[in-house]
Amino acid sequence: MKIKTCFCFGSLVILLTCVITNAQDLGVTCGYPSSARSSTGGTYNHSLFKSHGVEADWWDEIVEEVSYSGLDYIGPDARGYSPNFPNTDAGDPHKYANLCAAMDRRPLDNTFKVAIFDDNAASWTANRNLDKGLGYGYNPPFDCADTSNYRYIWDLDLKICIQNTPDAKRYKIKNRMVMIFWSVNPPFCTNQGNGRIKAIALMIRKRCLADFGFNPYIVADQSWVQQDPACNDTNVIDAVQSWFGAPVTSMTLTNFFGTKFGAFCPGFWYEGSNVYMNPNHGQLLINNLTKTVGAGALSTLGEGFSDEEETCALWRSDDSVYYDYPNQRPNILRRFSRKAWADNLKVEAEACDYFSGMTAGNGTYRNGAINITKCTDVNLGWEVTKTQANAWLEWKELPLPAQTKFSLRYSSTAASSIDFSVDNTPLPTVSLPSTSGAWASIDAGTKTFAANGLHTVRLTVVSGSPDLNYFNIIKSGTDVSMPLDGPVLQKRPLGVMQGIFVSKGFSPQSVSVVADKSKEFYVELFDCLGHKTYSQKYMGQGTMQTVALPKLAAGVWCYRIETQNSVRALR
């Protein structure tokens, strides 16, 4: 968010630009073998969405959930392609096209990008062995000294990923597409030292430049440097990730020549194993994100959005053993993303955490007594249908801004009504006119809090039987974007403007405001520690008025201006 404003210090006008952003990127891996797409890969962490064999529907769901989670990027687990066994469905890089097609079908304002996550134990070793008729496994290990093996790294894996990911969808650091690699340790690889892993990294750069015209940003596993110290060079690799080591470590933060890269999992266990890391009701995930995203990682990668086999999935889940509620892990991810308090959060009706009073379910999207069908609205998706009076949907720990507005997307052939409640406090009932079966959006109430926070939201059908697609949580009046000049810069609904400025200790000091006539507005100042040092009420004049400020000591100060209606200019 960028704030531009002018402050007047005597006769000197200082233009200030404040960029408010979270510099850390957050992403996830996403395995897409047939077991994940059919949700049959493990005992726990099954997807809330009941995959039913329609390939496009699975990818559409992944796209929506990744966007809801506030993530910057997704790294699908590329596991190579075998010309001799083309129907192997373990992680075919051609399926990057399926992901990108889903991103086009359900345009979500370009909310996230695609990185390459090369699961090279599979793509180099297992895929090579399969292609040579030796079975899909790690014996024999991948010989890093044999340059004829390079085709399994480039031609049958990375090149295909890039070909199926348009440039506009690529996740980049320093304007270079990011490739993240896993382990080259035994038993996956052999003959790694004496510059052989370095040679592989340089081969990838050379082929990428020759075939696509860009130099990739390579994030290598720590084993690359350990097995081949020649990789300890920023001309060879750009960053290092150290993954996690269950059951000892569930996160790492690795500093490679000043570049920090984080990795984490939310928990870990797989069938028949005594290796276990307790998710602890989401607390392990919170701790790991605090120690990576919250500790200055340039980028952080989580395992793994669909990894139910290892009980460390991050998608919505109907698992009641390791999840407290279906949206718990996506909600935690969003909390640590740069979109934690987004201006506009889309919340899908079909993906509610709890529901009651619905008509008997059809089991198409999820289990339970709730009717959900494919949606005919723009951007497709799913809808909750055949609702009835007193039925309700509920979501836990939704991020509501201090000034929240609800907007509902619905369809109805007759008049109906709904209400929202927040933490068991109902908002006024909203009448929903008939839309004759078309889809329409309607304002559905506002709620003001002392600060941003996590809340339980319930949507109740009061009367009628509207079909429900989604609702939006809209943050009102907290972003500011103004041109540099002009007596009237921009009208801001709900009238909140805030930002920072630097005082050099000059006097007098003032701020010029255009606020609606006869409407009160407040000017508040805070020091750099957040202590309020000044608060004064004024009456708007409908024209530019200059408000004198107290003399301020030299330093950084924060301002906040709030009106009953709107602030139209700030200079």
Side-chain angles (χ1 to χ4, degrees), residues 177-213:
M177 186 180 189
V178 174
M179 298 179 178
I180 306 168
F181 294 86
W182 201 54
S183 175
V184 294
N185 278 328
F188 314 124
C189 297
T190 189
N191 290 325
Q192 305 98 316
N194 298 314
R196 294 182 182 119
I197 297 297
K198 174 183 176 179
I200 288 175
L202 295 181
M203 178 275 295
I204 292 170
R205 292 195 187 281
K206 180 179 178 180
R207 294 297 304 271
C208 204
L209 281 165
D211 293 354
F212 300 102

Side-chain angles (χ1 to χ4, degrees), residues 105-381:
R105 281 193 301 272
R106 301 199 67 181
L108 296 161
D109 299 323
N110 202 26
T111 53
F112 65 92
K113 302 291 186 180
V114 180
I116 294 175
F117 180 76
D118 187 17
D119 187 357
N120 41 289
S123 62
W124 300 9
T125 310
N127 186 59
R128 173 197 172 277
N129 290 341
L130 174 70
D131 195 57
K132 290 184 174 294
L134 302 174
Y136 193 82
Y138 304 137
N139 188 23
F142 185 88
D143 187 351
C144 298
D146 185 352
T147 58
S148 68
N149 284 336
Y150 284 6
R151 67 189 297 259
Y152 294 100
I153 300 173
W154 181 254
D155 299 282
L156 300 179
D157 190 33
L158 298 177
K159 182 177 181 179
I160 299 172
C161 292
I162 300 170
Q163 288 173 328
N164 287 281
T165 307
D167 182 72
K169 289 182 170 62
R170 297 171 186 167
Y171 172 59
K172 300 176 182 179
I173 295 177
K174 297 182 178 179
N175 203 34
R176 296 152 59 197
M177 186 180 189
V178 174
M179 298 179 178
I180 306 168
F181 294 86
W182 201 54
S183 175
V184 294
N185 278 328
F188 314 124
C189 297
T190 189
N191 290 325
Q192 305 98 316
N194 298 314
R196 294 182 182 119
I197 297 297
K198 174 183 176 179
I200 288 175
L202 295 181
M203 178 275 295
I204 292 170
R205 292 195 187 281
K206 180 179 178 180
R207 294 297 304 271
C208 204
L209 281 165
D211 293 354
F212 300 102
F214 70 85
N215 182 18
Y217 191 96
I218 295 178
V219 181
D221 184 80
Q222 63 177 341
S223 60
W224 288 42
V225 176
Q226 293 168 348
Q227 295 291 339
D228 185 3
C231 289
N232 195 35
D233 182 344
T234 55
N235 293 312
V236 178
I237 58 177
D238 297 282
V240 170
Q241 58 82 13
S242 300
W243 212 231
F244 59 90
V248 179
T249 58
S250 57
M251 57 72 56
T252 55
L253 180 63
T254 307
N255 191 331
F256 184 72
F257 293 100
T259 298
K260 295 180 181 179
F261 202 97
F264 69 89
C265 69
F268 191 87
W269 178 81
Y270 61 89
E271 200 79 41
S273 168
N274 59 4
V275 177
Y276 174 70
M277 288 189 290
N278 187 355
N280 191 22
H281 305 281
Q283 192 58 52
L284 182 66
L285 178 56
I286 292 170
N287 292 345
N288 289 344
L289 289 167
T290 300
K291 295 174 182 178
T292 51
V293 177
L298 173 67
S299 187
T300 296
L301 181 68
E303 167 73 13
F305 204 71
S306 57
D307 191 359
E308 60 186 6
E309 288 185 278
E310 296 177 321
T311 320
C312 56
L314 290 158
W315 55 17
R316 298 185 185 113
S317 178
D318 58 8
D319 180 359
S320 60
V321 176
Y322 295 115
Y323 280 63
D324 290 351
Y325 61 91
N327 281 282
Q328 183 180 30
R329 292 184 186 179
N331 282 352
I332 293 172
L333 288 173
R334 171 170 281 276
R335 211 177 302 170
F336 283 84
S337 78
R338 62 176 82 235
K339 302 161 192 165
W341 308 103
D343 293 346
N344 192 327
L345 173 60
K346 184 179 181 182
V347 182
E348 297 287 345
E350 72 276 4
C352 59
D353 293 310
Y354 303 105
F355 54 84
S356 179
M358 296 290 175
T359 54
N362 53 19
T364 302
Y365 176 90
R366 63 187 289 178
N367 294 320
I370 182 171
N371 263 286
I372 298 173
T373 63
K374 293 299 293 291
C375 189
T376 59
D377 199 359
V378 293
N379 300 338
L380 306 176

Side-chain angles (χ1 to χ4, degrees), residues 395-401 422-423 449 451-457:
W395 294 261
K396 295 293 186 183
E397 295 187 309
L398 284 182
L400 300 189
V422 179
D423 301 329
F449 308 92
N452 297 343
L454 305 177
H455 301 271
T456 297
V457 174

Side-chain angles (χ1 to χ4, degrees), residues 30 32 36-39 47-66 95 97-103 105-106 108 305-306 315-316 348 350 363-366 372-376 379-383:
C30 183
Y32 52 93
R37 301 199 312 279
S38 61
S39 198
S47 172
L48 181 71
F49 169 65
K50 289 178 61 177
S51 185
H52 45 268
V54 179
E55 181 90 358
D57 287 352
W58 189 85
W59 287 105
D60 285 355
E61 182 66 20
I62 291 293
V63 165
E64 187 277 317
E65 292 194 31
V66 169
K95 290 188 181 292
N98 298 35
L99 169 63
C100 293
M103 295 168 73
R105 281 193 301 272
R106 301 199 67 181
L108 296 161
F305 204 71
S306 57
W315 55 17
R316 298 185 185 113
E348 297 287 345
E350 72 276 4
T364 302
Y365 176 90
R366 63 187 289 178
I372 298 173
T373 63
K374 293 299 293 291
C375 189
T376 59
N379 300 338
L380 306 176
W382 301 82
E383 65 183 85

